[in-house]
Amino acid sequence: MAVAVGGGLGAVALAPVAAGAAVRPVGAAPITAVVVTKAAAASCATGKYQKQVEGYLKKIGGYGTVKVDGKQSAADCKAIKKFQSRFGIKPAAGLAGPTTYGVAKRLANTSTSKCKAKKSGYTFCVDLTHQTTWVMKSGKVYAKPTVTRTGMKGYRTPAGTFKINKRTKKEWSDPYDVWLPYWQRFVGGRGFHQTTTYIHDAWRGSHGCVNLLPSDAKKYYGIGKIGMTVKVIGRRPGT
C-alpha cells in the first residue's frame, strides 16, 4: 500500500454400572471397548490437489515426511496442517485445496539465488513473479521464502535495488486511511508492512507496497535497519 509521507483419543473406558442402569444378561457376549487410534483421529480429508501439494512440500522441506502418492495419510495430514498454520491458511485442517496448492506452488517455484544478494550483510528479496519474499545474510538464506502481495495494475511495485530509508512500528497512510504496522519504506511511498487483509489469493494486489503476514512483518522489522538493501526482481503478472 503506497504511503504519502506525512491428539488422538485412547481407549474409551466403560464406566461402572450406575443405579438404575441396564445390566447385561448372564451369558451375554462381553462388551468390547471402543478404541480410536491417534492416526484415525488425526486423519484429514483428501483434497483435489493432494499429490501436487505433497510434491511441493517435499521440495520445500521442513514440514515433516510426506509421500508423493496422492493418498492422504496421518503424516501427510500433519505436514499439510503445519504448512497451513505457518502461512495463515484457514482452516488449517489438512485439506489440500486451491489456496494451499497456490501458496505451496509459489514457494516451491521460488529460486532464492535469483535475488543475487550481497555477499555480506542482509538483503531483503522480493520476487514479483511468484509473489514471494525472503531475507539473505552474507549470500545465504536467513529467512525462508514466504508469501507476499505487491502492487496491482496501475500501482506496480518497481523492480530494482533500493535501501530501507524509514522505519516505524506503526505508520499512518494518508491516502488510504489505515495504519501500516511494522512499516519499512524503501522506494517512494512503498515499503514492507503487515497487511490487514487476506494475501493468499495471487489475483489480489496492493497499492504498491510489499504486504506481509503478521508474523513475517514482525520478523522483518526485527531484522531491518536503515540503509539495508532491498532487491525486487521479476514482474507481477498483469502489471
Side-chain angles (χ1 to χ4, degrees), residues 93-175:
L95 178 72
T99 300
T100 301
Y101 165 74
V103 172
K105 181 180 180 180
R106 286 157 61 184
L107 295 171
N109 289 334
T110 295
S111 175
T112 56
S113 63
K114 287 186 177 180
C115 180
K116 301 189 184 306
K118 298 190 331 180
K119 293 183 178 179
S120 63
Y122 292 89
T123 302
F124 289 78
C125 304
V126 180
D127 181 342
L128 298 174
T129 305
H130 294 101
Q131 292 292 282
T132 54
T133 176
W134 63 98
V135 182
M136 306 284 280
K137 181 181 180 182
S138 301
K140 296 182 179 180
V141 176
Y142 182 77
K144 291 183 178 181
T146 184
V147 288
T148 186
R149 178 176 62 193
T150 65
M152 58 186 161
K153 186 176 181 179
Y155 298 89
R156 184 167 63 88
T157 305
T161 301
F162 313 100
K163 299 284 186 182
I164 293 175
N165 55 63
K166 184 178 181 182
R167 284 164 36 86
T168 53
K169 279 193 173 180
K170 200 175 182 183
E171 181 81 358
W172 178 254
S173 170
D174 288 326

Side-chain angles (χ1 to χ4, degrees), residues 18-34:
V23 179
R24 281 191 303 120
V26 176
I31 296 175
T32 303
V34 177

Side-chain angles (χ1 to χ4, degrees), residues 200-215:
H200 304 90
D201 296 331
W203 60 269
R204 299 177 193 266
S206 72
H207 289 96
C209 285
V210 178
N211 295 168
L212 299 169
L213 291 168
S215 60

